[in-house]
Amino acid sequence: MTTQLTYRDKIAVLHLGDDENRFSPAWLDSLEAHLAAVEAGAHGLVTVGAGKFYSNGLDLDFLMANGDRAGWYVERVQSLFARILTFPMPTVAAVNGHSFGAGAMLAIAHDYRVMREDRGYYCFPEVDINIPFTPGMAALIQAKLGPQAAITAMTTGHRYGGAAALAAGLVDETATEDQLLDRAVERLTPLLGKNPDTVRAIKSTMFASVVEALR
């Protein structure tokens, strides 16, 4: 399954795929097209993977084969983070499985996160693979985590299971696999109906320094 868009009434459910859901250029193209459709007609957004992975982040094979396009690629990824961070409606990442690196950053750019309680790790492994955070990526994570949680998450590469991710503030709730998507939708339902221009403006002000760093 590639990326796919379904709906629960006014809530759009954006399925990221059923493999590692790495950020290939084609995957980014597909995601951006779906997000445009969501902005045109939905009142809330849930993103979710399938099976073992929410997202394993950057497409390292593409980067290795296209070193001359690394700057372009990182700009595209960071633009996606900024778009989700300031999305004009409430957003929830339903973290169904492993969420690593840029995949974890995509999830943390959402307003809320619900993580499967019994499987999958939430992790920023950059310290272990010798890829320092860009200023924009660091700003994004630090905007959502307390200082001590950010130190641990960003400088140790710690792998957080559901309960530990909840305790650290990486996620807002945990749920069983069967309940995950329902809980994400239920979290959004009472938040629907706000003016999208106002929501975007508020988020853009809240996260102005992060968006500037990302872009």
Side-chain angles (χ1 to χ4, degrees):
M1 181 180 73
T2 56
T3 60
Q4 183 181 4
L5 194 60
T6 62
Y7 287 86
R8 297 273 193 100
D9 294 326
K10 295 288 188 178
I11 295 174
V13 180
L14 179 47
H15 303 268
L16 302 179
D18 59 3
D19 54 18
E20 293 190 15
N21 305 328
R22 288 186 179 270
F23 293 19
S24 70
W27 185 89
L28 290 168
D29 288 342
S30 177
L31 207 69
E32 294 282 2
H34 286 313
L35 290 174
V38 173
E39 288 195 44
H43 291 181
L45 171 66
V46 174
T47 62
V48 65
K52 188 176 179 181
F53 295 97
Y54 175 80
S55 172
N56 235 359
L58 298 182
D59 186 344
L60 300 179
D61 290 339
F62 173 83
L63 278 173
M64 291 290 289
N66 298 274
D68 59 326
R69 302 181 69 192
W72 167 86
Y73 177 73
V74 171
E75 285 179 8
R76 283 208 64 187
V77 170
Q78 295 196 155
S79 177
L80 172 63
F81 296 158
R83 184 174 189 177
I84 295 296
L85 189 66
T86 59
F87 211 63
M89 62 191 71
T91 61
V92 176
V95 184
N96 58 285
H98 295 318
S99 182
F100 274 67
M105 294 176 210
L106 175 63
I108 216 165
H110 291 65
D111 298 334
Y112 307 100
R113 285 151 298 287
V114 181
M115 184 173 175
R116 182 173 168 181
E117 65 186 17
D118 62 335
R119 184 179 182 184
Y121 290 114
Y122 202 114
C123 177
F124 300 104
E126 282 73 9
V127 70
D128 292 321
I129 56 176
N130 300 316
I131 300 178
F133 296 96
T134 67
M137 292 174 179
L140 171 63
I141 299 166
Q142 289 174 273
K144 295 298 186 81
L145 295 181
Q148 200 59 44
I151 283 284
T152 302
M154 296 173 70
T155 69
T156 73
H158 183 72
R159 297 185 177 197
Y160 295 84
L166 180 62
L170 284 161
V171 303
D172 302 279
E173 184 179 351
T174 60
T176 64
E177 180 182 17
D178 291 343
Q179 295 176 332
L180 184 72
L181 191 54
D182 288 340
R183 291 298 301 135
V185 170
E186 288 167 10
R187 180 170 278 269
L188 279 191
T189 300
L191 310 178
L192 306 181
K194 310 298 184 186
N195 182 287
D197 292 335
T198 304
V199 172
R200 190 196 302 276
I202 290 172
K203 290 182 183 179
S204 296
T205 300
M206 287 177 68
F207 299 114
S209 62
V210 180
V211 171
E212 182 179 359
L214 285 167
R215 288 182 169 160

